[in-house]
Amino acid sequence: MHRLSALTDLLQHLLKWLLLAFVVAVLAGTASAGFLFALEWATATRLAHAWLIWLLPVAGFAVGWLYLRYGSSVEGGANLLIDEIHDPKKIIPLRMVPLVLGGTVISHLFGASVGREGTAVQMGGALADQLTRMFRLNNEDRRIILMAGISAGFASVFGTPLAGAIFGLEVLAIGRLRYEAMLPCLAAAVIADQVGLLWGVQHTHYAVPLIPALSAWTLCAMVIAGVLFGVTGKLFAHATHGLSALMKRWIAYAPLRPLAGGVAVAIAVWLLGTDKYIGLGIPTIVDALKEPLPAYDFLGKMAFTIVSLGTGFKGGEVTPLFFIGATLGNALGPLLHQPVTLLAAIGFVAVFAGAANTPIASTLMAMELFGADIGVYAAIACVVAYLFSGHAGIYRAQRGGHAKRTAHKDSADT
């Protein structure tokens, strides 16, 4: 009788979370599809009308004003979601969805250097949290459904369901996974990805033409590269947070911060005579996986993204981190006597692993995007990058679950 009762409880648990995950996935996958289509339009329009870059300061001011007037309760973005998972207080306002969607599309339309994962994650989490009231979920169930929303948003915007599932579990606390949420996160990520595909989303195809056989030197090269990728991720996170703090100190009126950032970005584009470092930069990422590129490209993208995000433009950090990592890896290839395309692919995920403190999700992403054969190389570089990126990352609300290394358990940062 006890065994039958336990089996019944498990079946009820399974059905409950599959149903909730399905609803979350449909909402998040549909939102991500609409967002990706809007991004395609914004990018194509900006490329067709280069003069739009000069309106970036005005666009920044407008988005800043909208958030000041209507979005103070959702200004925390992805960090707000993480905080609510750790300490549930009140349901995420639904207004987060249109605000972050509109703010990100405007940022891309006029030429800010921002990403897209932050938007998808925020939309997925905010939409998922609306089910809390509808189904009268308790705090523990609310934590899980928020995590499922994060996984669904990440998976559907990148087309990487396994990485998305683990990202929702891994991003909350450094060195700790929430296994009780694994089923909902996995189901939501897989279904959301399929929902996006059903809507007609076409994800960028990345290919690595040559993955060499394992050797002592190739493994050593991954370790060396991982150190550099981790340090780069750390510098990016610290610089972005540092600039944001400075802007808040220097400019009290929030809408003026992205206005100032927009002026800096527009003038820099004019002076450099290239728009390579604004927007998502996917064409350059694809090129980094095919052929040698200028060694300074990663620095250019870092500078433009730090200014854009640090002054308050909306979007995400992950796709710019892909650009930074791919171009840095591209530059390191000849120095480490490795195929340029291989190190570009490894850098693509490893800088992200270091900056977000998500080595497992990043390794799975490499395998989903580039094939299983790259798994060992990606795992080594992502873990080393994670170790060398310190205890702070792009998500301020991320908590310390376990120390990265036992020798410095009490260290706040390294």
Side-chain angles (χ1 to χ4, degrees):
M1 191 70 179
H2 175 71
R3 290 182 179 178
L4 180 61
S5 176
L7 179 60
T8 301
D9 288 344
L10 281 174
L11 287 174
Q12 289 178 344
H13 175 82
L14 178 67
L15 291 174
K16 167 187 172 180
W17 283 111
L18 285 179
L19 172 62
L20 289 173
F22 177 81
V23 177
V24 168
V26 171
L27 293 173
T30 300
S32 289
F35 171 53
L36 289 175
F37 293 140
L39 274 190
E40 288 181 7
W41 167 81
T43 302
T45 302
R46 176 177 56 78
L47 291 174
H49 305 284
W51 54 268
L52 285 173
I53 189 68
W54 294 110
L55 295 180
L56 183 61
V58 179
F61 182 89
V63 172
W65 184 86
L66 284 172
Y67 265 83
L68 181 65
R69 180 71 175 83
Y70 302 105
S72 59
S73 60
V74 296
E75 179 70 29
N79 288 299
L80 175 60
L81 298 179
I82 297 173
D83 279 333
E84 284 295 324
I85 292 171
H86 287 305
D87 298 308
K89 293 178 181 176
K90 62 179 182 178
I91 294 173
I92 305 293
L94 188 58
R95 69 180 63 184
M96 173 181 273
V97 176
L99 280 171
V100 74
L101 173 62
T104 305
V105 171
I106 289 172
S107 295
H108 280 280
L109 175 62
F110 294 98
S113 177
V114 294
R116 51 189 173 171
E117 113 291 336
T119 305
V121 162
Q122 289 176 56
M123 291 193 301
L127 289 168
D129 206 18
Q130 306 312 305
L131 302 182
T132 296
R133 185 181 291 110
M134 185 182 302
F135 291 97
R136 299 181 179 179
L137 302 178
N138 58 34
N139 281 345
E140 189 55 39
D141 285 350
R142 182 174 176 238
R143 289 188 179 99
I144 294 174
I145 206 165
L146 278 169
M147 294 164 71
I150 289 173
S151 291
F154 190 97
S156 55
V157 83
F158 291 124
T160 53
L162 292 180
I166 300 302
F167 179 81
L169 302 170
E170 193 176 22
V171 73
L172 305 178
I174 298 172
R176 182 192 299 163
L177 292 178
R178 296 286 297 269
Y179 287 98
E180 73 275 15
M182 187 170 290
L183 171 66
C185 286
L186 179 61
V190 172
I191 297 170
D193 177 50
Q194 292 300 308
V195 168
L197 296 176
L198 287 174
W199 280 111
V201 169
Q202 295 182 339
H203 298 289
T204 305
H205 175 69
Y206 301 104
V208 180
L210 176 62
I211 299 178
L214 288 173
S215 69
W217 174 243
T218 56
L219 296 178
C220 288
M222 293 306 117
V223 173
I224 296 169
V227 172
L228 296 173
F229 293 144
V231 171
T232 301
K234 178 179 180 178
L235 290 174
F236 175 88
H238 279 281
T240 303
H241 294 322
L243 178 60
S244 178
L246 284 175
M247 294 300 292
K248 290 176 181 177
R249 191 179 311 145
W250 291 343
I251 303 176
Y253 188 55
L256 291 178
R257 298 170 200 151
L259 185 149
V263 170
V265 169
I267 292 175
V269 168
W270 174 64
L271 289 174
L272 293 175
T274 179
D275 60 0
K276 178 189 286 190
Y277 306 121
I278 61 176
L280 290 174
I282 289 178
T284 303
I285 297 174
V286 173
D287 288 343
L289 296 166
K290 293 179 179 178
E291 59 195 20
L293 296 179
Y296 52 78
D297 274 349
F298 80 97
L299 291 173
K301 188 61 172 178
M302 276 189 73
F304 275 81
T305 307
I306 289 167
V307 170
S308 296
L309 292 174
T311 57
F313 281 96
K314 302 303 174 183
E317 301 92 343
V318 174
T319 304
L321 286 170
F322 292 162
F323 184 119
I324 294 164
T327 51
L328 175 57
N330 186 285
L332 291 175
L335 300 177
L336 296 177
H337 304 289
Q338 296 298 309
V340 163
T341 54
L342 172 67
L343 273 185
I346 297 299
F348 182 112
V349 293
V351 172
F352 166 51
N357 292 302
T358 54
I360 302 175
S362 301
T363 300
L364 288 173
M365 172 172 271
M367 297 171 71
E368 288 183 292
L369 293 177
F370 307 118
D373 289 345
I374 206 170
V376 172
Y377 295 123
I380 293 171
C382 287
V383 169
V384 173
Y386 165 76
L387 288 173
F388 276 82
S389 64
H391 288 277
I394 54 178
Y395 303 111
R396 282 186 173 277
Q398 194 175 53
R399 297 192 178 181
H402 295 284
K404 293 187 178 183
R405 48 198 175 102
T406 55
H408 297 282
K409 286 184 179 179
D410 298 326
S411 175
D413 198 358
T414 56

